[in-house]
Every structure is written in structure tokens, then in C-alpha cells.
Amino acid sequence: MMFRLQKRKKKKDQQLKDSLTSTNQEDKLSSRILLNEQVLRDSFKNCSDIVFRPIFVNGEANILLIYFDGLCDTKTLDEALLKPMMFEGIAQERGKTQAIGQIIKEKVIADTPIKTVTKMSDLVNGILKANIGILVEGEEKALLVDLKDFEKRAIEEPQIETTIRGPRDGFTENLRTNTTLLRRRIRSTRLKFEAFTVGELTQTDVLIAYVEGIAPQSLLEEVRTRIGRIQIDAVLGSLFIEEFIEDVPFSPVPQIQNTERPDIVSSSLLEGKVAIMVDNTPFTLIVPFTFWSGLQAAEDYYERFIYTTFIRWIRYILFGVSLFLPSLYVALTTYHPKLIPSPLLISIAAARENVPFPAIVEATIMEFMFESLREAGLRLPKPIGPAVSIVGALVIGQAAVQAGIVSTPMVIVVATTGIASFAVPRYNLGTAFRMIRFVFLGLAGIFGLYGIVIGFIGLTIHLVNLRSFGVPFFSPVAPQIPKNLKDVFIRAPRWNFNLRPVFFAGEDKKRIPQKQKPGPSRGEKKP
């Protein structure tokens, strides 16, 4: 008797194994829960956070729930699915249909997004994306219930891109939260989000956002093509996407803008640009990106245009100071001292009398120390980072001057350069030109002013020939588009922005009707 039972059990196990192999080959869900459960257990082997929860409802149905612990809202699951089936049953609906899965989809979880799948791979991918899988005995399909509930950061003001008068909200690591922030600003059906999945292992959700009719079709097709051809095992941030889609990867200058501010993304979309949003990161990519966009701050559009124009010119001057001041100092003191006024030259010569190094070595040492203090301040904990940076700069600078290693004018030049470099609104653009500053410093130390001119010509040629998704990086200055210069060297009044930028806008080019200049009404009586 025992031998017969063992033989039957072996035969049953072999049949189950054969059915399991056949099911895996076809990648279709079986009508038997036991087969599907075995496939899922093999797929999620050694995953201690996976939960298999069987449910038996009044002998009517055998149901299996599969989800990851900590990723799903189990409280809503119990209230919306389990309790209604446990206490009310499902027999009253069986007269209309025999599909229990359809009853669950239409009656039990009416307010929750549900997707029906027939393939095992789709079920596994859905569970990995924090959905709850529901299998029913006798049905060759499964339900994916969207009840995501994982820990996420609250909406906060971005720490890097702060404003005085602008909004205080910023993107988070939750992709759906970020799309909601855009929907609150652009309440139109023309705002579109196209979904992609990138990363073989991470299966990261990537969205491209645009306003239909404003974004040109050629730009959209280019963005879709570049994202679609990415083959990578993992995407852990927006930089993983950025490095695969930029035009010139070896250029020191960034060609794609990144931001944490929803208002910047919204304004860019309304200009005809495209945003690329990546799950698990608060940084959104914006294409195309131009040089002049990198020098524009969010604060420029929340203050009156007169103030903004004045501040923008100060920013441009500080940008030039941060790029050229150390190299000009080295070139003038080393090769062209006659260009310096005599009283100033005497003062500089007296300060440099006991310095053992030439100006180029002195400047390189001080620039290196300044960059080291900046990097150390970023890596240290926030309560002590700024204090260490300031104290370190003061102590090292004073000690270096007293020891005769560097001169006082060089400390002033490097400190002024460092302060001016903070005026660049975009961190990646500022970092790029800090690197280029060392190149100019070397050219000035070798060739003097001629080296600076050669470097400037080479940099200008590179920037003029650079493109971002087909848009010239130096536009609208080169090539010059007079209509678009209203937001480059000045910030024109809001009522004067009648048309969208030429290179960005698609079919809908009109932004603001003309003749809206404010003033007293014609029928107003004078006192």
C-alpha cells in the first residue's frame, strides 16, 4: 500500500514538473494555481520579502495574492479585497459570470487601477513594480492591482536652486509625485507623458513630458529614438540617461539641463522643450539646452524686468571674472607689466618680493587649494561643512601669506574668482567653466595675453559649433535671431514675449497676443 502511494506521488510530481516546464516554455499562465505558484516561487527564490497569501472564500474560490512586503498598501488590500470577499462572499455574482477575476475587478476593487495579464513574465514584472498579483483557480489570467505604498520623501524646497519670491516646492524621488506637480501647473490635455522602461535589471520607469502642438515633432522623434536605443543593465539616476543621449560626450560643457524645480520644467515645456523624468531621482532633464539658458536663474522670472536685467548683467560680468581673472593676472604680471598702472605695479611687486614661485605656480597652488576647500565643504556634514570651509580658507590663506609662499594680491584674485564663480546658476555649467579656467591659466603662463586670446577663440569656436538635439548651443546669438534676444542680454517685460523661441516651438508659436502693454485705460478721467 505504501509502495503504491509513493508511486502515485512520484507520478503526480512528474506530471506537475512536466506541466511546469511546458508552462515556462510558453510563458502563459496556467489555469491551476499550484503550477503558477511554483513558477513564481522559482522566480522569486531567496527573496525573503515576497509574500504568497492564499485565500479560500466559502469554498467558492481558491485565490492567491502575491506581493512584496513593504511596497504595497496591505491595509487597503484587507479593507477593499479581503473583507468584502470573506464576509459577503462572491456567490451572489456568480449568476452573471463565472469569471471570479472579473468579479474582483469590477466589484471588489472598483476604485483601484487594475490590469489583466495572461503571461507569466508580465505578472512577474508587475509584482516587481510594487503591484499586487491576484491568481484565481481555474482562470488562465492574473490581475495586477496598483496599491503601491512605500516610504517616500515629502515635497521640499530644492536646496541648490533657491529663490526669494518663487515657489517652494521641488521634485522628489517618486515619479508620480513629480508628474502631479507638473499637472498642477499645466492643466491642459495637451500635456503628455510618454512612458519607457530602461534597464534590464532595474526596469526603471522613464517619462518624456511635452506639450502637444508646442514641442516640435522632430525633437520628439529624436528624444524617443535616443532613449529607445539605450541598452543598460541598471538606471539609478537621470545621469545614466544623460550620458547616453547627449550630442558630444567628450565636450566639457553640458548639453542637457537638469533641475529639481517644477516651475522651471513647466516654463521649459511651454517654450517647446522636452523634459525627461526618471524614477527614483528628483532631477529632471530638459532638452535642448543652450549656453544662455545656463546663465538664467529661476529668480529672473519672479521679479520685475528692470531688476532682473540689472542682476543679469552683474551675473554675466561675474561669469567673465570667474573665467578670466586669474589668467589675466598671471599674464599681466609675467609678460605685460607695462599694461599695469605704475602705483599698482609697485604694490604688486612689493607684495611678491619674497615669494619663491612664479605667478603661474602661485595661482595654480591657490586655485587647487580653493577647489579642495570647496569639495571638502560639500562632503562634510551640513552643520560643520560651511564653518570648516570658511575657517580653512582664512587659516590657510593667512598662513601662506605669512610664510611667503603666496602673495596677498594672489589671495585677493583667487578669492574674488571663487566668489564670482558662485554666480553661475547651473552647477554643472559652473563646474565645466572652472575646469576651463585652469586651461586658460596654463595658456596665460606660457603665452601671456596671446594665449588667453587663442584659448578664447578656441572656446568660442567650440561653443558655436556645439549642438543640443539639433539646436545651436550659442543660439539665439550665433546664429543671431533678433526676435529671441528679448530674453538673453535683457529680460523684456512679460507682455512683450509674443512668440515662442524659433528653435524650440512647433506649430503653436504664438504665446501672448500683442498690444497688452499696461497703462491707464483710455476712458479714465484725469483729476
Side-chain angles (χ1 to χ4, degrees):
M1 187 68 179
M2 291 293 295
F3 178 77
R4 289 181 180 179
L5 290 175
Q6 291 178 356
K7 190 174 181 181
R8 287 180 182 179
K9 185 177 180 181
K10 290 181 179 180
K11 186 176 180 180
K12 187 175 181 181
D13 292 340
Q14 185 63 35
Q15 290 177 352
L16 178 62
K17 187 176 181 180
D18 294 338
S19 300
L20 186 62
T21 304
S22 176
T23 304
N24 283 333
Q25 291 176 351
E26 298 178 0
D27 193 30
K28 291 184 178 180
L29 291 171
S30 172
S31 59
R32 298 179 59 187
I33 279 187
L34 187 61
L35 297 178
N36 295 328
E37 181 181 358
Q38 187 62 42
V39 174
L40 291 172
R41 288 188 180 275
D42 290 340
S43 300
F44 296 112
K45 185 178 180 180
N46 296 330
C47 297
S48 60
D49 54 344
I50 192 71
V51 176
F52 291 88
R53 189 171 181 178
I55 302 174
F56 299 94
V57 183
N58 298 332
E60 292 283 338
N62 182 12
I63 302 173
L64 178 65
L65 306 181
I66 313 99
Y67 57 91
F68 278 102
D69 187 19
L71 294 182
C72 301
D73 186 1
T74 55
K75 182 178 180 180
T76 303
L77 174 69
D78 292 337
E79 295 177 354
L81 177 63
L82 302 183
K83 289 182 180 179
M85 288 194 301
M86 294 290 187
F87 293 102
E88 300 176 7
I90 57 176
Q92 55 185 348
E93 301 289 345
R94 293 300 295 271
K96 299 179 182 179
T97 177
Q98 296 296 320
I100 300 175
Q102 183 179 350
I103 298 173
I104 296 174
K105 184 176 181 180
E106 295 179 355
K107 300 294 182 180
V108 180
I109 319 178
D111 298 331
T112 305
I114 299 178
K115 181 181 178 181
T116 303
V117 295
T118 58
K119 294 183 178 181
M120 180 61 68
S121 58
D122 293 338
L123 177 59
V124 171
N125 290 333
I127 296 173
L128 287 171
K129 292 184 177 180
N131 294 301
I132 300 176
I134 301 178
L135 291 169
V136 180
E137 182 68 36
E139 298 184 13
E140 296 181 350
K141 59 183 179 181
L143 300 179
L144 290 174
V145 184
D146 188 0
L147 286 175
K148 301 181 180 69
D149 184 31
F150 42 80
E151 295 295 329
K152 54 187 178 182
R153 182 168 59 91
I155 297 175
E156 301 173 350
E157 181 182 5
Q159 297 182 2
I160 298 177
E161 302 171 278
T162 58
T163 60
I164 299 175
R165 193 174 173 180
R168 297 289 190 265
D169 56 347
F171 287 133
T172 68
E173 288 75 13
N174 190 324
L175 188 60
R176 192 52 58 202
T177 302
N178 297 342
T179 59
T180 303
L181 293 174
L182 294 182
R183 285 287 181 193
R184 288 176 56 188
R185 287 169 167 82
I186 306 177
R187 302 176 183 180
S188 171
T189 56
R190 295 169 62 184
L191 176 60
K192 307 297 181 181
F193 296 102
E194 293 187 14
F196 296 83
T197 301
V198 185
E200 183 180 352
L201 296 179
T202 58
Q203 293 290 303
T204 305
D205 293 327
V206 178
L207 299 180
I208 62 171
Y210 61 94
V211 178
E212 189 177 26
I214 297 180
Q217 287 297 323
S218 58
L219 175 60
L220 292 173
E221 290 299 328
E222 185 67 21
V223 173
R224 295 187 188 112
T225 301
R226 296 192 189 189
I227 294 179
R229 70 188 182 194
I230 297 176
Q231 296 182 4
I232 189 174
D233 59 343
V235 175
L236 304 179
S238 57
L239 181 64
F240 287 69
I241 302 295
E242 180 179 350
E243 291 189 347
F244 277 96
I245 64 176
E246 57 186 356
D247 290 62
V248 185
F250 291 103
S251 173
V253 182
Q255 301 128 60
I256 298 175
Q257 180 180 349
N258 64 81
T259 181
E260 291 184 83
R261 297 189 63 89
D263 55 333
I264 293 180
V265 176
S266 300
S267 62
S268 299
L269 296 180
L270 293 173
E271 286 183 347
K273 297 182 181 181
V274 176
I276 302 172
M277 312 177 74
V278 183
D279 198 12
N280 300 319
T281 177
F283 290 95
T284 296
L285 306 178
I286 302 175
V287 295
F289 177 56
T290 64
F291 173 79
W292 307 105
S293 299
L295 295 179
Q296 295 170 356
E299 193 66 35
D300 293 353
Y301 303 94
Y302 296 110
E303 289 290 349
R304 298 185 67 237
F305 66 95
I306 299 176
Y307 311 152
T308 298
T309 301
F310 173 71
I311 295 173
R312 183 172 289 183
W313 272 102
I314 292 178
R315 189 182 303 136
Y316 289 167
I317 293 173
L318 290 176
F319 173 75
V321 168
S322 68
L323 184 60
F324 294 109
L325 183 59
S327 55
L328 284 174
Y329 175 81
V330 171
L332 292 176
T333 56
T334 305
Y335 295 99
H336 314 282
K338 292 182 179 181
L339 297 178
I340 305 175
S342 299
L344 180 59
L345 180 61
I346 294 173
S347 177
I348 293 175
R352 287 185 42 81
E353 184 178 2
N354 297 323
V355 176
F357 303 111
I360 177 62
V361 176
E362 186 183 3
T364 303
I365 293 175
M366 290 303 300
E367 286 286 349
F368 178 78
M369 292 304 301
F370 187 88
E371 294 296 331
S372 301
L373 290 171
R374 184 205 302 265
E375 187 66 19
L378 291 175
R379 301 291 169 257
L380 288 171
K382 291 182 180 179
I384 64 174
V388 171
S389 299
I390 296 173
V391 173
L394 292 174
V395 171
I396 293 176
Q398 184 66 24
V401 171
Q402 291 182 354
I405 299 176
V406 296
S407 62
T408 306
M410 181 58 71
V411 174
I412 297 174
V413 168
V414 173
T416 304
T417 303
I419 294 173
S421 65
F422 289 118
V424 180
R426 307 296 168 200
Y427 176 78
N428 54 354
L429 187 66
T431 303
F433 281 95
R434 290 207 309 270
M435 294 172 51
I436 296 173
R437 186 168 68 222
F438 282 94
V439 177
F440 277 89
L441 195 59
L443 291 174
I446 299 173
F447 303 106
L449 289 178
Y450 300 104
I452 297 176
V453 173
I454 293 172
F456 178 73
I457 293 174
L459 178 62
T460 304
I461 292 174
H462 175 69
L463 295 179
V464 169
N465 285 278
L466 199 62
R467 288 180 174 268
S468 175
F469 283 78
V471 175
F473 187 71
F474 227 59
S475 64
V477 175
Q480 190 176 96
I481 305 173
K483 294 181 180 179
N484 291 354
L485 294 176
K486 298 177 181 179
D487 195 21
V488 177
F489 299 108
I490 63 170
R491 207 276 277 173
R494 183 73 58 186
W495 41 265
N496 203 14
F497 288 101
N498 306 117
L499 300 176
R500 306 183 198 278
V502 173
F503 282 110
F504 306 148
E507 298 176 359
D508 188 0
K509 300 182 182 300
K510 189 175 182 180
R511 179 156 50 183
I512 298 175
Q514 295 182 354
K515 299 181 180 180
Q516 291 200 75
K517 181 179 178 181
S521 59
R522 295 180 179 178
E524 184 178 350
K525 295 182 179 180
K526 296 182 180 180

